[in-house]
Amino acid sequence: MSNDHIVSSFDADLSRLDNMIAEMGGLAETQLTRSIEALCKRDLEAAERIIPADKKIDALEEEIYEFTIKLLALRQPMADDLRIVISAIKISSVIERIGDYAKNISKRTIVLKDSPSLTGALHTVSRMGELVQTMIKQALDAYIQRDAEKAGDVRARDREVDLLHTSLFRELLTYMMEDPRYITPCTHLLFIAKNIERIGDHTTGIAEQVHFMVHGEMPVDERPKDDHSSTTIITPDDVQNGRESAQS
């Protein structure tokens, strides 16, 4: 077998790997989009369909894992090619987690079916979802194109998701302090918002793997973060001051 034939065959293997990652990422992106739409529209049937669909993402992760192990054993890639294979394993694991988060959003949507509606909060959740969906698409594009600069843009965009999450966290805490009837829906929305925020974090992880593929090292700068929900405190005085400001 000629060396050119071996190289051509390995290139075909890498192309197949790219297609599998792209397919898996596209499924996760679709799952997230549909889960947020089901939440905002209170479409319980759509939410119920999303939950079993996650199995396809899980199956693709397993397929990618087995394929990459085969590549490592038979092709023994080095340098750039080795980084591509290693990154694909890590990226597929990240995408699987994104699918899990989307499934969890759908599960909580079903629980919220009889709860009071929180239109303003849902709008923020929807906006967070749109930002994260864009990040996922850009991260996958960066992977396919081996574009470290585009991957860097994805990392930067995560700050806006963090800011929205912190703002929504404060808003939902205020709702719960004002009216106990909102405790259950707000609690589930807090978890949903956190799921979306974590999807943003995982997507930046994909972007960092692209940087590794291109440059042979992880980004040296720390990931930009603006999520302050873990240190946010709302007091009864804050709620009262908010009421007075709204009335004035």
Side-chain angles (χ1 to χ4, degrees), residues 16 64-76:
R16 179 185 170 189
I64 289 170
Y65 179 77
E66 292 177 357
F67 186 65
T68 52
I69 294 301
K70 180 180 177 181
L71 286 182
L72 290 171
L74 299 180
R75 302 296 189 185
Q76 298 181 353

Side-chain angles (χ1 to χ4, degrees), residues 27-248:
L27 286 172
E29 184 183 349
T30 299
Q31 285 280 86
L32 175 61
T33 300
R34 290 176 177 172
S35 67
I36 294 175
E37 287 179 352
L39 171 68
C40 293
K41 296 178 181 179
R42 293 199 168 211
D43 189 339
L44 303 185
E45 291 184 1
E48 289 171 348
R49 288 194 299 269
I50 290 167
I51 295 170
D54 183 60
K55 293 180 180 179
K56 175 62 175 176
I57 297 175
D58 294 342
L60 272 171
E61 184 198 17
E62 183 63 26
E63 184 179 350
I64 289 170
Y65 179 77
E66 292 177 357
F67 186 65
T68 52
I69 294 301
K70 180 180 177 181
L71 286 182
L72 290 171
L74 299 180
R75 302 296 189 185
Q76 298 181 353
M78 300 178 64
D80 294 355
D81 292 336
L82 178 59
R83 293 201 299 271
I84 291 172
V85 176
I86 292 174
S87 294
I89 296 173
K90 293 184 176 181
I91 289 172
S92 67
S93 178
V94 169
I95 295 173
E96 190 275 335
R97 291 296 299 139
I98 291 174
D100 285 346
Y101 282 125
K103 179 174 67 174
N104 187 265
I105 291 171
S106 295
K107 288 181 177 180
R108 293 186 184 278
T109 295
I110 295 170
V111 174
L112 288 169
K113 62 180 180 179
D114 297 322
S115 298
S117 179
L118 295 164
T119 305
L122 287 176
H123 178 77
T124 304
V125 168
S126 178
R127 176 58 182 155
M128 287 178 65
E130 290 172 358
L131 287 171
V132 169
Q133 289 159 25
T134 299
M135 288 172 62
I136 295 172
K137 183 180 185 306
Q138 289 181 339
L140 293 172
D141 287 346
Y143 168 79
I144 296 298
Q145 299 164 12
R146 312 292 192 253
D147 189 335
E149 184 175 348
K150 182 175 288 187
D153 291 340
V154 173
R155 294 180 79 228
R157 291 179 70 94
D158 190 46
R159 296 183 68 177
E160 189 172 353
V161 178
D162 289 342
L163 289 170
L164 281 173
H165 180 243
T166 300
S167 174
L168 182 59
F169 186 86
R170 293 178 59 88
E171 179 182 351
L172 292 174
L173 287 184
T174 301
Y175 275 128
M176 287 189 283
M177 294 180 72
E178 287 182 333
D179 190 336
R181 292 177 301 171
Y182 287 123
I183 291 176
T184 293
C186 285
T187 299
H188 286 289
L189 281 176
L190 283 171
F191 279 109
I192 287 171
K194 187 60 180 179
N195 285 343
I196 298 173
E197 188 271 334
R198 290 297 295 142
I199 291 174
D201 287 344
H202 281 300
T203 304
T204 63
I206 296 175
E208 288 168 353
Q209 286 300 318
V210 173
H211 188 281
F212 169 73
M213 286 169 52
V214 175
H215 296 297
E217 62 181 10
M218 297 296 283
V220 295
D221 57 316
E222 290 188 9
R223 181 184 299 180
K225 291 292 296 179
D226 267 313
D227 179 22
H228 303 294
S229 59
S230 60
T231 57
T232 296
I233 297 174
I234 300 293
T235 68
D237 288 341
D238 293 328
V239 176
Q240 180 62 33
N241 292 336
R243 291 200 197 99
E244 292 175 353
S245 296
Q247 294 170 359
S248 62

